Amino acid sequence: MTTAAPWAPTVFRPREIDVEPSAAGLKGHLGSLDIEAMLVERKALVWRGFDVGRVDFEAMVDMLLPTRWSYRHGNSPRTKVGDNIYTSTEYPAEYTISMHNELSYAARYPSRLLFYCEQAPASGGATPVVNGAAWLAALDADVREAFAGGLRYRQNLHGGVGLGKSWQATFETESRDEVEQFLGATGAEWHWRQDGGLRVEQPGPSTVVDERTGQEVWFNQADQWHAAGLGDETAVALAAIMSEEDMPQSVVFADGGAIPVEYVTQVRERGLAQAVDVEWSPGDLMLIDNVLVGHGRRPFTGQRRVLVSMAG
């Protein structure tokens, strides 16, 4: 009896696919592929050694992401550096970013993410990617059952000064009307606070069944929104000055029940354990299916600049 090889992204290199090691060679290669079918089958695609420059990346976005999305309702700190092109999450280099699917806490989430390495770090800084079906299967049955009823995400977005992101940065607008119009289509509950901030509560599932493959995958950000995901010292410091209800972001089960710390820890650790690290060199590209695959970031030293764009 043979054991199937563990899942890993498919990597393309110029010599292996007999194309010129240049951005032009990559464009020709991409034009010959059925990207949608390949992405559904292989989940994550990596291109190395094509000498893709920053301007070239813009052209790759046009080819691989037919409809670029903005990062509206995004909760992680980023800088917008082009036409719906952003830096990857700007989080201190010494910390791991746990596995997650982009905007999985929101009613509207992208189907694809395209990453580009503009500057590789001195060491570390890989982007781990995980097969969402394998992540789900790795969890204990009682954890899967506890999460089955879904989640409720809570945000307290300040109006310009405070912890976390402002509502203006989160929704990329200064207009309250635009925010209300956006949220009105999401099933969220919200109210404007007297201090100028915005409180949002958004229901969401713990898993989704991908309609293309029939696979059920782990699909939420409970471990990132839970206070336990902040690390012991940070969680204790925040708890000393505010209740969990008032934190910039928090999460509970859909019925309002607290999520046990040990469940959050298991989700985080087993997601990272199932992940495959994608190391970066300047000019590398990676395209992932944002439903079938989660991603994160390993700690690093030196300067790291990885850009990302997303599509519906």
Side-chain angles (χ1 to χ4, degrees), residues 250-278:
S250 59
V251 62
V252 293
F253 288 127
D255 63 3
I259 303 174
V261 170
E262 60 269 26
Y263 288 3
V264 172
T265 301
Q266 181 179 133
V267 167
R268 175 184 171 89
E269 291 182 350
R270 295 193 184 174
L272 286 164
Q274 290 288 322
V276 178
D277 283 354
V278 176

Side-chain angles (χ1 to χ4, degrees), residues 54 57-58 61 68-70 79-87 172 305 307-309:
R54 176 68 176 81
F57 173 58
E58 296 270 359
V61 173
R68 297 190 203 188
W69 272 21
S70 69
T79 301
K80 193 171 186 177
V81 297
D83 180 11
N84 287 342
I85 295 174
Y86 301 82
T87 58
E172 298 189 2
R305 188 172 172 86
L307 305 182
V308 61
S309 192

Side-chain angles (χ1 to χ4, degrees), residues 114-127:
L114 179 62
F115 297 88
Y116 166 69
C117 180
E118 188 170 22
Q119 182 177 1
S123 66
T127 295

Side-chain angles (χ1 to χ4, degrees), residues 6 12 28 56 68 84 122 130 137 143 148 167 171 228 267 274-275 284:
F12 298 95
D56 300 318
R68 297 190 203 188
N84 287 342
V130 63
V143 173
W167 63 262
F171 294 100
V267 167
Q274 290 288 322
D284 288 353

Side-chain angles (χ1 to χ4, degrees), residues 13-74:
R13 297 179 177 85
R15 182 177 298 178
E16 296 167 358
I17 58 175
D18 194 27
V19 301
E20 178 185 345
S22 66
L26 177 54
K27 289 177 187 177
H29 165 69
L30 294 177
S32 70
L33 300 178
D34 182 342
I35 291 293
E36 177 62 27
M38 182 172 285
L39 197 56
V40 171
E41 177 188 356
R42 306 190 187 186
K43 303 178 178 62
L45 310 172
V46 178
W47 290 273
R48 301 188 186 281
F50 289 91
D51 194 27
V52 175
R54 176 68 176 81
V55 174
D56 300 318
F57 173 58
E58 296 270 359
M60 303 304 169
V61 173
D62 289 338
M63 293 187 72
L64 294 170
L65 304 182
T67 54
R68 297 190 203 188
W69 272 21
S70 69
Y71 188 57
R72 296 186 77 185
H73 203 178

Side-chain angles (χ1 to χ4, degrees), residues 5-302:
W7 174 82
T10 297
V11 180
F12 298 95
R13 297 179 177 85
R15 182 177 298 178
E16 296 167 358
I17 58 175
D18 194 27
V19 301
E20 178 185 345
S22 66
L26 177 54
K27 289 177 187 177
H29 165 69
L30 294 177
S32 70
L33 300 178
D34 182 342
I35 291 293
E36 177 62 27
M38 182 172 285
L39 197 56
V40 171
E41 177 188 356
R42 306 190 187 186
K43 303 178 178 62
L45 310 172
V46 178
W47 290 273
R48 301 188 186 281
F50 289 91
D51 194 27
V52 175
R54 176 68 176 81
V55 174
D56 300 318
F57 173 58
E58 296 270 359
M60 303 304 169
V61 173
D62 289 338
M63 293 187 72
L64 294 170
L65 304 182
T67 54
R68 297 190 203 188
W69 272 21
S70 69
Y71 188 57
R72 296 186 77 185
H73 203 178
N75 69 321
S76 65
R78 303 175 185 271
T79 301
K80 193 171 186 177
V81 297
D83 180 11
N84 287 342
I85 295 174
Y86 301 82
T87 58
S88 56
T89 300
E90 295 168 355
Y91 195 59
E94 63 269 27
Y95 296 117
T96 295
I97 298 176
S98 62
M99 309 309 296
H100 62 285
N101 303 79
E102 205 62 55
L103 289 166
S104 56
Y105 52 84
R108 179 177 181 265
Y109 49 81
S111 62
R112 298 181 186 180
L113 305 179
L114 179 62
F115 297 88
Y116 166 69
C117 180
E118 188 170 22
Q119 182 177 1
S123 66
T127 295
V129 289
V130 63
N131 179 344
W135 189 3
L136 175 61
L139 301 176
D140 292 349
D142 61 333
V143 173
R144 296 197 300 269
E145 182 178 353
F147 276 89
L151 301 165
R152 192 167 189 84
Y153 300 95
R154 296 169 172 168
Q155 286 177 290
N156 290 298
L157 304 168
H158 63 78
V161 178
L163 290 174
K165 292 181 73 174
S166 69
W167 63 262
Q168 295 93 331
T170 298
F171 294 100
E172 298 189 2
T173 182
E174 298 286 333
S175 168
R176 289 191 176 198
D177 288 343
E178 285 187 26
V179 172
E180 292 182 2
Q181 183 177 6
F182 179 90
L183 290 174
T186 68
E189 299 173 10
W190 76 91
H191 70 264
W192 296 100
R193 298 168 56 130
Q194 290 185 347
D195 61 6
L198 174 66
R199 180 173 176 82
V200 181
E201 294 202 12
Q202 177 78 57
S206 62
T207 68
V208 296
V209 176
D210 179 64
E211 61 184 15
R212 302 161 300 175
T213 63
Q215 286 186 311
E216 185 179 12
V217 297
W218 190 249
F219 193 80
N220 65 79
Q221 289 193 28
D223 67 303
Q224 292 197 333
W225 285 60
H226 196 283
L230 298 171
D232 293 342
E233 292 183 5
T234 303
V236 169
L238 278 178
I241 61 174
M242 64 177 61
S243 68
E244 185 171 347
E245 180 83 3
D246 292 324
M247 288 183 179
Q249 62 184 43
S250 59
V251 62
V252 293
F253 288 127
D255 63 3
I259 303 174
V261 170
E262 60 269 26
Y263 288 3
V264 172
T265 301
Q266 181 179 133
V267 167
R268 175 184 171 89
E269 291 182 350
R270 295 193 184 174
L272 286 164
Q274 290 288 322
V276 178
D277 283 354
V278 176
E279 306 287 349
W280 291 110
S281 295
D284 288 353
L285 293 170
M286 177 168 66
L287 182 68
I288 68 172
D289 186 294
N290 186 49
V291 174
L292 299 175
V293 172
H295 67 281
R297 192 206 68 193
R298 302 291 186 184
F300 64 92
T301 63

